[in-house]
Amino acid sequence: MSTIAAISTAPGIGGIGIIRISGDNTFEIINKIFKQKKYQEIKDIKGYTIKYGHLIDPNTKEIIDEVLVSFFKKPHSYTTEDMCEINSHGGIIIMQKILDICLQNGAEMAEAGEFTKRAFLNGRIDLSQAESIIDIINSKTEKETMASINQLNGFLSEDINRIRQKIINVMVNIEVNIDYPEYDTEEVTQTQAKNMLEEVKGDLEKLQKTFYNGKIIKEGIKIAIIGKPNAGKSSLLNALLKEKRAIVTQYAGTTRDTIEEFLNIDGIPFKIVDTAGIREAEDEVEKIGIEKSRQMADSADLVIGIFDLTSDLNDEDDEIIRILKEKKSIIVLNKIDLLEKDFKINKKILDLNKKIIKISALEQTGIDELNSEIINLFKLNEINFDSEIIVTNARHKNLINKALENTNEALNVIEDNMPIDIIAVYIKEILENLGLITGENVSEDIINEVFSKFCLGK
Ligand code: GDP
């Protein structure tokens, strides 16, 4: 394979910058452009060593930078090829210049994700592990990173391969049965296939159950805060964020559109939507706001309904109560700082039978209780992010769903007493779909699509 080079550190200025080279001519190129302080022949340099010296332009002999070069010898490198990483000073111009010198001396510009693609093509990691590397890089929270690291360690691949092996064991018998019908009875093979498929169905359903948590840790739990104007929505959002981002105002109806903010509770991302006041208003802009509030509540995983304790419930509050009834929701009674301790809660609110939390958004009391209730409601404490497989990747989800469909179809076909060669067709589809997760027999298009999501130099 050709020798590729790219800047691997983030674009911009940093303390150090890393330029990576991988491929058959790596050491030949390095020999031309790197002047070691204490010269050693490449064959004498052990893998995983770092050499100090100057990066030079071999044409002009000009010193470009003072650098450290790490050596990785095949197959013990990220790509499994001969590799070097040039640690230079982290200036944009310096790094670009070093990259240009690599390119002028025989390297080709790497495409996005090409180093990882080579690790996959050379068999060091499978496709789901390669995908976990993008997820680690793009992770927004600790939990998402943990799930991705588990995937990189091969937890998902092991599970998928274990399921595939179960299928392959039975497939072998089925094929013997098809080729030599006299060797084994079809009923025995069918029973075997049925038992295996039921087991596989259970395994796949177990993975399917992790999709919701996968979505949560990747996209966050969507929370909508709804309440009539002046109930304290923006103040609550601010209290939750512990910093004032949304505009808090004394005038009703100014938060006309919605604001989205990210919140991190115990490493889980929450996406909070602060909706406009729900009210039956005459003017068009307000109407758009109301419509949007309802939509936001509809698409939220959790709705926080906020009521102003200093004013009586009105039609707008009734509207909010109606929405809360249908949804996973928490009721927040706001402005307790303005009330006596033993105030009465309105019956309409009590009748909702939802968790009620009394707060003062202004004085930030009751916010911790609200946070714990949110965590409680999603049973987030029960998910073991360290060791459980959590499927977060959309491509994997689709393939698991497809494999489960194939499994159900295969079971139906057995139920209908179809001949064993027909059953075999369905079982092979399960194998194929599962194989696509780890990258067995995967087409070039899929490979290219997966790696196009990577950044340069990875
Ligand atoms: P929104 O229209 O629902 O977003 O309400 P805001 O958050 O803008 O609050 C409306 C008004 O109520 C502002 O003047 C806030 O300072 C005030 N407010 C909000 N929460 C509290 C609270 O807990 N106690 C008191 N005393 N005032 C509050």
Side-chain angles (χ1 to χ4, degrees):
M1 254 190 259
S2 62
T3 300
I4 50 171
I7 300 172
S8 282
T9 35
I13 296 171
I16 55 164
I18 298 175
I19 297 99
R20 253 182 174 174
I21 317 179
S22 176
D24 291 341
N25 298 329
T26 297
F27 298 146
E28 197 183 302
I29 296 168
I30 281 293
N31 246 345
K32 281 195 256 178
I33 65 173
F34 176 50
K35 221 171 152 202
Q36 302 172 46
K37 180 89 175 166
K38 283 192 186 141
Y39 183 77
Q40 249 187 317
E41 278 194 48
I42 299 270
K43 68 173 175 42
D44 298 327
I45 299 176
K46 286 204 183 105
Y48 303 122
T49 40
I50 297 178
K51 300 284 290 175
Y52 166 72
H54 284 121
L55 204 292
I56 56 160
D57 181 341
N59 283 332
T60 59
K61 305 281 182 268
E62 178 198 1
I63 293 176
I64 307 296
D65 197 9
E66 190 182 25
V67 295
L68 289 171
V69 176
S70 23
F71 288 80
F72 304 89
K73 296 201 160 173
K74 68 179 175 194
H76 304 293
S77 75
Y78 186 77
T79 57
T80 77
E81 302 168 340
D82 284 334
M83 270 185 91
C84 277
E85 284 180 8
I86 305 168
N87 290 242
S88 69
H89 289 109
I92 301 168
I93 305 289
I94 284 284
M95 288 191 286
Q96 191 57 49
K97 206 158 176 187
I98 295 174
L99 175 63
D100 286 344
I101 289 172
C102 292
L103 301 180
Q104 283 155 18
N105 286 280
E108 285 171 24
M109 184 64 211
E111 285 170 21
E114 201 173 353
F115 292 95
T116 311
K117 186 176 179 179
R118 288 187 175 197
F120 163 66
L121 293 175
N122 295 333
R124 190 178 65 79
I125 51 172
D126 69 28
L127 199 58
S128 76
Q129 286 172 310
E131 286 169 302
S132 70
I133 294 171
I134 325 174
D135 288 339
I136 291 172
I137 294 174
N138 292 335
S139 279
K140 287 182 288 299
T141 63
E142 212 177 303
K143 305 288 188 207
E144 189 185 350
T145 314
M146 272 184 196
S148 309
I149 287 183
N150 281 347
Q151 199 178 312
L152 176 62
N153 284 337
F155 285 18
L156 177 66
S157 317
E158 272 170 28
D159 211 44
I160 296 292
N161 287 333
R162 198 177 42 76
I163 300 172
R164 289 189 85 226
Q165 198 52 52
K166 274 186 205 172
I167 303 173
I168 290 167
N169 292 346
V170 173
M171 228 15 235
V172 173
N173 291 350
I174 292 177
E175 269 167 9
V176 170
N177 199 288
I178 294 170
D179 294 342
Y180 309 96
E182 69 286 358
Y183 186 81
D184 212 348
T185 64
E186 194 163 319
E187 291 93 272
V188 173
T189 321
Q190 279 213 7
T191 313
Q192 234 183 17
K194 188 165 183 253
N195 291 343
M196 174 276 287
L197 287 167
E198 262 155 15
E199 227 180 279
V200 167
K201 185 177 167 171
D203 292 340
L204 293 175
E205 280 172 348
K206 208 167 146 199
L207 286 175
Q208 223 181 23
K209 285 207 184 94
T210 72
F211 290 1
Y212 184 67
N213 288 339
K215 178 180 171 283
I216 283 179
I217 57 175
K218 201 156 192 167
E219 294 167 23
I221 297 171
K222 207 164 165 187
I223 303 181
I225 302 176
I226 61 170
K228 71 179 169 196
N230 267 333
K233 296 178 297 297
S234 307
S235 307
L236 172 60
L237 178 64
N238 286 334
L240 285 168
L241 289 169
K242 289 207 181 92
E243 50 179 294
K244 304 201 179 264
R245 284 221 194 96
I247 304 152
V248 187
T249 161
Q250 281 139 320
Y251 308 103
T254 46
T255 323
R256 283 185 167 157
D257 214 332
T258 55
I259 303 166
E260 272 189 6
E261 292 282 359
F262 279 90
L263 188 72
N264 187 333
I265 309 179
D266 288 357
I268 311 273
F270 287 87
K271 196 157 61 176
I272 304 197
V273 186
D274 179 22
T275 57
I278 292 193
R279 46 149 51 187
E280 300 295 343
E282 290 86 11
D283 89 88
E284 273 312 301
V285 186
E286 275 298 324
K287 266 190 193 150
I288 294 164
I290 295 155
E291 194 44 44
K292 193 133 191 173
S293 303
R294 288 205 186 102
Q295 281 169 12
M296 294 321 303
D298 274 348
S299 69
D301 302 301
L302 168 70
V303 181
I304 297 179
I306 180 163
F307 297 91
D308 179 352
L309 287 172
T310 61
S311 68
D312 290 334
L313 293 193
N314 61 10
D315 293 351
E316 298 162 65
D317 290 307
D318 288 344
E319 184 94 33
I320 289 153
I321 287 173
R322 260 196 295 279
I323 295 176
L324 294 176
K325 206 178 275 174
E326 317 282 308
K327 296 284 302 183
K328 190 174 223 170
S329 54
I330 299 176
I331 293 167
V332 164
L333 304 181
N334 191 26
K335 310 195 186 178
I336 46 165
D337 54 296
L338 297 176
L339 290 186
E340 299 290 322
K341 264 209 155 66
D342 50 347
F343 59 88
K344 269 223 162 72
I345 299 174
N346 189 294
K347 188 167 178 310
K348 281 185 191 164
I349 291 179
L350 288 173
D351 284 350
L352 273 172
N353 263 332
K354 305 271 183 185
K355 180 83 185 174
I356 297 174
I357 302 197
K358 299 168 199 158
I359 69 158
S360 163
L362 196 70
E363 294 181 354
Q364 309 219 346
T365 44
I367 304 299
D368 287 346
E369 200 192 333
L370 179 58
N371 276 337
S372 357
E373 185 54 29
I374 293 171
I375 293 279
N376 253 345
L377 219 53
F378 289 89
K379 303 246 178 315
L380 295 171
N381 293 330
E382 288 167 24
I383 309 168
N384 185 352
F385 291 93
D386 301 341
S387 58
E388 272 175 41
I389 297 168
I390 297 171
V391 183
T392 55
N393 179 297
R395 195 182 71 85
H396 302 167
K397 286 184 197 176
N398 281 337
L399 290 165
I400 289 168
N401 283 337
K402 273 192 196 159
L404 192 57
E405 265 170 43
N406 304 146
T407 311
N408 285 326
E409 280 163 358
L411 280 166
N412 287 340
V413 173
I414 294 181
E415 200 65 32
D416 295 346
N417 273 323
M418 291 292 219
I420 197 81
D421 47 340
I422 305 272
I423 300 170
V425 173
Y426 286 94
I427 296 181
K428 271 189 193 147
E429 279 185 38
I430 315 175
L431 269 182
E432 261 168 44
N433 280 321
L434 291 179
L436 290 177
I437 295 178
T438 49
E440 305 233 354
N441 307 322
V442 75
S443 74
E444 206 170 320
D445 288 350
I446 296 178
I447 295 176
N448 289 339
E449 199 190 309
V450 165
F451 289 99
S452 67
K453 296 183 188 130
F454 272 73
C455 35
L456 267 176
K458 188 66 211 174

